[in-house]
Amino acid sequence: EAGVTQFPSHSVIEKGQTVTLRCDPISGHDNLYWYRRVMGKEIKFLLHFVKESKQDESGMPNNRFLAERTGGTYSTLKVQPAELEDSGVYFCASSQLPGGSYEQYFGPGTRLTVT
Amino acid sequence: SQKIEQNSEALNIQEGKTATLTCNYTNYSPAYLQWYRQDPGRGPVFLLLIRENEKEKRKERLKVTFDTTLKQSLFHITASQPADSATYLCALVSSGGYNKLIFGAGTRLAVHP
């Protein structure tokens, strides 16, 4: 069974540009999460999809970030326009069932560098 | 304010010894607490989960304890091996935020032959 995959693995963009990150969850996992780790800090929650619906987007930093999950399969996270403080590693995770009693399977992350 | 604290200093131990990592939290009421392992350049990998009404959980060489009075979880690796070297993350699931994981900063463990 394939794990969670993320693309690209690394992206370097200039301030003001747009970047789109992609996540493919494990097949059959309705729950998809985005997290990020900025330099020196802990991993922080961004949002949670159940199928194509946003269940919780309380962690999204501002309206420059837009997440979608059309059709309830893969998800994209767009940052537009990118700022220097958006640099970090963006992780996607999926789980078969929701709730904290179930493990989340993480992808390898996308390292975003904004210069 | 709400905080999750893990030892920021790396933990260095000798192969064969027991590693003990600490996770302390304040102003949370976690329904669950999970431990993950993270290797450089990779995403976290789930290890163990413990519920608020459980005191201890074991899996092979791993043991987790959860003390809601002390607001602390301890993570033990017995008979440690160099392959256990990694960063270990604790993550809370708050009773108010049922699905999202709230991570500590992690503790780096180095097991020396």
Side-chain angles (χ1 to χ4, degrees):
Chain A
E1 178 185 273
V4 177
T5 57
Q6 293 187 245
F7 182 83
S9 57
H10 193 179
S11 179
V12 182
I13 61 171
E14 292 183 354
K15 177 182 169 179
Q17 290 186 321
T18 298
V19 63
T20 300
L21 314 181
R22 173 170 170 145
C23 168
D24 286 78
I26 292 172
S27 178
H29 281 195
D30 288 339
N31 295 272
L32 186 150
Y33 309 82
W34 283 98
Y35 295 85
R36 76 171 177 180
R37 170 180 257 162
V38 296
M39 182 69 76
K41 300 281 191 178
E42 66 275 13
I43 297 172
K44 286 202 168 174
F45 169 84
L46 296 179
L47 89 159
H48 169 213
F49 283 99
V50 177
K51 296 186 181 179
E52 66 274 11
S53 300
K54 290 175 187 172
Q55 178 77 13
D56 179 355
E57 52 185 329
S58 61
M60 294 289 264
N62 50 60
N63 59 10
R64 295 186 294 103
F65 289 75
L66 175 65
E68 294 181 322
R69 193 182 182 195
T70 308
T73 54
Y74 71 90
S75 174
T76 57
L77 180 65
K78 182 191 288 188
V79 185
Q80 178 184 32
E83 298 288 345
L84 298 178
E85 64 265 24
D86 300 332
S87 295
V89 182
Y90 289 75
F91 292 104
C92 174
S94 71
S95 67
Q96 193 167 15
L97 293 166
S101 61
Y102 299 98
E103 64 181 283
Q104 295 183 15
Y105 296 83
F106 281 77
T110 293
R111 179 172 297 277
L112 174 65
T113 304
V114 183
T115 62
Chain B
S1 63
Q2 294 178 316
K3 277 194 298 188
I4 302 172
E5 292 180 315
Q6 295 186 253
N7 292 2
S8 57
E9 304 265 334
L11 179 62
N12 290 282
I13 64 167
Q14 210 66 31
E15 182 176 8
K17 301 290 186 185
T18 296
T20 298
L21 287 71
T22 304
C23 177
N24 295 300
Y25 58 91
T26 54
N27 294 321
Y28 282 110
S29 298
Y32 308 93
L33 191 146
Q34 301 185 11
W35 283 88
Y36 285 78
R37 169 185 173 139
Q38 187 173 24
D39 291 283
R42 307 196 125 179
V45 174
F46 173 82
L47 296 174
L48 275 173
L49 173 149
I50 189 164
R51 294 174 170 74
E52 62 179 333
N53 59 352
E54 295 176 320
K55 297 289 186 190
E56 181 179 299
K57 207 74 168 287
R58 290 177 187 261
K59 179 183 174 182
E60 297 171 353
R61 294 185 296 112
L62 309 180
K63 184 178 86 171
V64 172
T65 63
F66 194 9
D67 189 325
T68 54
T69 302
L70 289 179
K71 297 187 185 299
Q72 180 182 78
S73 175
L74 299 179
F75 177 80
H76 307 271
I77 306 175
T78 57
S80 60
Q81 303 164 1
D84 295 326
S85 300
T87 296
Y88 291 86
L89 307 167
C90 75
L92 305 183
V93 181
S94 179
S95 53
Y98 193 54
N99 295 309
K100 64 188 180 189
L101 298 175
I102 305 165
F103 282 93
T107 298
R108 192 160 52 87
L109 172 66
V111 181
H112 302 283

